[in-house]
Amino acid sequence: MDSLLPTRLRPMVTADLEQVLGWRNHPEIRRYMYTQHPISLEEHSRWFEKKSADPDYHLLVFEVDATPLGFINIHKIAPGGIADWGFYAAPDAPKGTGRQLGQAALHYAFVTCGLHKLCGQALAFNASSIKFHRNLGFTQEGILRQQHFDGQHYHDVLCFGLLASEWPSNS
Ligand SMILES: CC(C)(COP(=O)(O)OP(=O)(O)OC[C@H]1O[C@@H](n2cnc3c(N)ncnc32)[C@H](O)[C@@H]1OP(=O)(O)O)[C@@H](O)C(=O)NCCC(=O)NCCS
């Protein structure tokens, strides 16, 4: 991907619902989520209505050259600027989109929101996400053993954390 193209993060709006749902329901995204059933537009709309009214949630769309190419959810989970995040790039996004999305999200988290710490969790078989967190400078802080049941098997969950003081020098 041409890294010279302008990127931005903006709040998700109602007009994004169908596109973001299309990404979320794509098999290559859904398989890495905690809930893996295909989500209906109604369920997705209810989720959006609830979360977008909650000041602890930041639902964001990542754009490259004004084209939406990813979704990020930053959720404050504790006092003192501690939040977790979830994200996915559009399944057909060009190579390099994930990294750009990650860098934009960290800037948003630590500069725009002034967070102290961002936490991520990845299923142990999600090699892309694990590599992605490490490449962005996250430290692996623990493993929740067999913490996720997919209906047939248990999976470990890897926990990652990045402090504002560690960013951006080690990303
Ligand atoms: C997690 C996610 C955003 C990570 O993005 P990513 O795959 O690292 O995205 P990138 O496009 O930056 O990198 C893809 C590959 O292209 C490579 N790449 C990066 N820039 C490139 C470029 N300009 N040219 C060619 N290749 C490039 C990367 O090194 C990477 O290679 P790798 O797979 O060997 O590491 C993405 O995989 C995703 O949306 N996954 C599904 C949802 C998900 O798992 N979400 C997280 C839940 S915890």
Side-chain angles (χ1 to χ4, degrees), residues 56 75-79 81-84 119:
D56 285 341
H75 174 208
K76 289 185 190 160
I77 53 170
I82 298 168
D84 64 16
C119 308

Side-chain angles (χ1 to χ4, degrees), residues 62 69-72 87-89 97-105 132:
F62 173 67
L69 285 181
F71 168 76
I72 297 154
F87 49 83
Y88 35 87
T97 301
R99 184 164 182 81
Q100 286 185 300
L101 174 152
Q103 287 166 342
F132 173 81

Side-chain angles (χ1 to χ4, degrees), residues 1 28-29 32-33 87-89 94-99 121-122 126 128-129 131-132:
M1 150 153 295
E28 281 307 308
I29 291 185
Y32 296 118
M33 301 290 134
F87 49 83
Y88 35 87
K95 293 271 187 202
T97 301
R99 184 164 182 81
Q121 293 196 338
N126 192 350
S128 300
S129 179
K131 195 168 176 184
F132 173 81

Side-chain angles (χ1 to χ4, degrees), residues 20-75:
V20 172
L21 180 62
W23 298 337
R24 175 61 177 79
N25 276 338
H26 189 283
E28 281 307 308
I29 291 185
R30 177 152 67 82
R31 66 189 290 247
Y32 296 118
M33 301 290 134
Y34 288 137
T35 55
Q36 295 178 357
H37 67 283
I39 295 170
S40 68
L41 184 57
E42 195 196 348
E43 180 183 352
H44 184 60
S45 303
R46 277 200 310 271
W47 162 83
F48 178 69
E49 207 173 309
K50 193 169 167 197
K51 302 298 186 204
S52 55
D54 183 336
D56 285 341
Y57 282 85
H58 296 246
L59 308 181
L60 305 163
V61 167
F62 173 67
E63 291 184 343
V64 179
D65 203 21
T67 301
L69 285 181
F71 168 76
I72 297 154
N73 173 11
I74 294 176
H75 174 208

